[in-house]
Amino acid sequence: MPRAVVTGGAGFIGSNLVDRLVDDGTDVLVLDDLSSGSLGNLRDARSRGSVKIHQIDVSDNDVVGLVRDFRPDTVFHLAAQIDVRRSVADPAYDARINVLGTVNMLEAARHSDAERFVFASSGGAQFGDTFNIPTPETAERKPSSPYGVSKYVAEQYFSYYQAMHGLDFMSLGFANVYGPRQDPNGEAGVVAIFIESLLAGRNPTIYGDGLQTRDFVFVEDVTDAMVRAGRIGGSRYVNVGTGRETSVLKLLEVIVEAVGADIAPIMAAPRKGEQMRSCLDPSLARKVLGWEAWTPLADGIEQTIAWFRSREG
Ligand SMILES: NC(=O)c1ccc[n+]([C@@H]2O[C@H](COP(=O)([O-])OP(=O)(O)OC[C@H]3O[C@@H](n4cnc5c(N)ncnc54)[C@H](O)[C@@H]3O)[C@@H](O)[C@H]2O)c1
């Protein structure tokens, strides 16, 4: 039976990945401090497969022994401080979790003789504002927040571990991921925020003119890219996005139509430093992973709304 460690496995993307790994017959060890994730996200996976959970901070030295004892084939590292505004307010905290936590997980992976390390990176946050759209992997990295810097810095260790310890890696730069289990209170999820507002009959807020664009990719497509990266490897950075730009206004239109509640948005002042455009070129993922996002935005939105409704009922 293949074995995988998933850090951040109780969170939004991590728990969807655990579901997929369990479906594939993988034995899973989740390491999560439950700071934003929840055990409820893993209830279904635990009832269907072999999922052990250990509540621990990834920057804690004890993770090295835990991972060594589990002897995974693959380490999927998703645990992170994901709040951009918190990274601005407290860059040292952000670096402790996102940089030192990643180095700690790399140590754990090499001491356990894992074959591969798959990292949840961020495309949008690393490339910063750009007119090079859709942005290829070769574009200059100009992170505009400590969160983007920490993802970039953590990645610089991967080639060293590959050369020195033979640890193959794949760093996947996600676009804006959305889908079931995204936390509407988290700062990353505009889709979750809009859906929650509309279902509660509240007017959603748009900051600025709503013409800012993002590349919205469905979580099931993203976890498929992670599983492929875990199997194929190749020690490189690869974008995981759709290559399609969607404005925030257009996104709201799609959600309003799917919810069936015509509630006008509140237009608020633009947020300082907000990126205007973000969209990743997925050509390399097609080539090296045989992967392409397949869920149309309207279908992914339907599935996400269905999940929010099931939570209410
Ligand atoms: N959601 C997106 O659009 C997006 C985009 C780009 C990159 N990412 C990356 O994907 C990963 C998962 O993000 P998500 O959206 O699922 O967020 P999330 O907050 O739902 O998941 C993060 C998980 O990590 C756990 N965690 C946080 N700090 C920890 C620590 N110090 N030790 C152990 N566990 C810890 C949390 O409890 C949570 O379960 C992150 O690395 C994030 O940077 C997400």
Side-chain angles (χ1 to χ4, degrees):
M1 205 180 199
R3 300 165 76 77
V5 164
V6 180
T7 74
F12 159 48
I13 303 173
S15 65
N16 279 284
L17 174 64
V18 173
D19 280 339
R20 167 63 193 268
L21 291 169
V22 162
D23 288 344
D24 292 351
T26 306
D27 217 341
V28 180
L29 170 65
V30 168
L31 302 179
D32 197 301
D33 69 356
L34 301 180
S35 53
S36 64
S38 80
L39 292 179
N41 286 340
L42 291 166
R43 199 172 298 131
D44 187 45
R46 287 169 89 185
S47 70
R48 288 185 296 116
S50 166
V51 181
K52 293 187 192 69
I53 303 170
H54 204 101
Q55 184 173 358
I56 192 165
D57 183 329
V58 285
S59 61
D60 185 323
N61 288 337
D62 285 350
V63 298
V64 176
L66 280 171
V67 175
R68 194 184 48 222
D69 293 347
F70 185 72
R71 302 196 72 77
D73 308 293
T74 312
V75 173
F76 293 95
H77 180 40
L78 294 90
Q81 189 304 109
I82 66 158
D83 186 332
V84 172
R85 274 173 290 179
R86 181 162 188 192
S87 81
V88 172
D90 192 351
Y93 174 77
D94 180 84
R96 182 171 78 74
I97 306 302
N98 293 358
V99 180
L100 296 184
T102 301
V103 174
N104 212 30
M105 286 311 305
L106 284 163
E107 279 296 288
R110 81 156 171 110
H111 282 294
S112 64
D113 291 328
E115 257 173 63
R116 193 156 293 131
F117 191 86
V118 179
F119 182 57
S121 190
S122 165
Q126 284 202 65
F127 293 118
D129 232 339
T130 175
F131 290 104
N132 189 359
I133 297 276
T135 312
E137 287 81 355
T138 48
E140 191 191 348
R141 313 275 174 108
K142 289 183 297 183
S144 52
S145 66
Y147 167 76
V149 173
S150 69
K151 288 284 181 187
Y152 178 65
V153 169
E155 232 176 270
Q156 307 310 304
Y157 286 88
F158 298 160
S159 306
Y160 161 77
Y161 274 85
Q162 199 271 330
M164 189 57 89
H165 302 295
L167 178 62
D168 189 40
F169 71 87
M170 284 299 271
S171 182
L172 303 181
F174 301 158
N176 283 65
V177 189
Y178 73 96
R181 303 197 190 124
Q182 189 161 33
D183 183 358
N185 304 310
E187 89 130 23
V190 59
V191 171
I193 293 167
F194 281 175
I195 291 176
E196 206 198 34
S197 295
L198 290 174
L199 290 181
R202 285 194 309 267
N203 307 72
T205 303
I206 289 183
Y207 297 94
D209 57 11
L211 297 177
Q212 59 273 52
T213 63
R214 295 293 181 266
D215 177 350
F216 296 103
V217 60
F218 192 55
V219 68
E220 192 183 327
D221 303 8
V222 170
T223 57
D224 183 62
M226 297 196 83
V227 167
R228 283 168 188 262
R231 285 195 197 126
I232 298 166
S235 292
R236 61 201 303 179
Y237 169 88
V238 177
N239 283 337
V240 171
T242 69
R244 283 182 293 278
E245 265 184 300
T246 304
S247 73
V248 170
L249 276 177
K250 177 68 196 172
L251 172 73
L252 183 60
E253 195 185 303
V254 173
I255 297 177
V256 161
E257 191 176 325
V259 169
D262 198 1
I263 300 176
I266 298 167
M267 304 304 286
R271 286 205 266 212
K272 200 169 158 248
E274 187 183 3
Q275 229 165 294
M276 270 316 290
R277 295 178 75 186
S278 178
C279 179
L280 303 178
D281 181 346
S283 321
L284 187 64
R286 209 174 295 135
K287 214 165 90 192
V288 304
L289 299 176
W291 177 89
E292 196 167 5
W294 66 85
T295 307
L297 183 63
D299 291 3
I301 293 291
E302 291 258 351
Q303 291 184 53
T304 311
I305 292 170
W307 179 79
F308 271 89
R309 285 200 160 125
S310 73
R311 236 177 35 141
E312 285 178 339

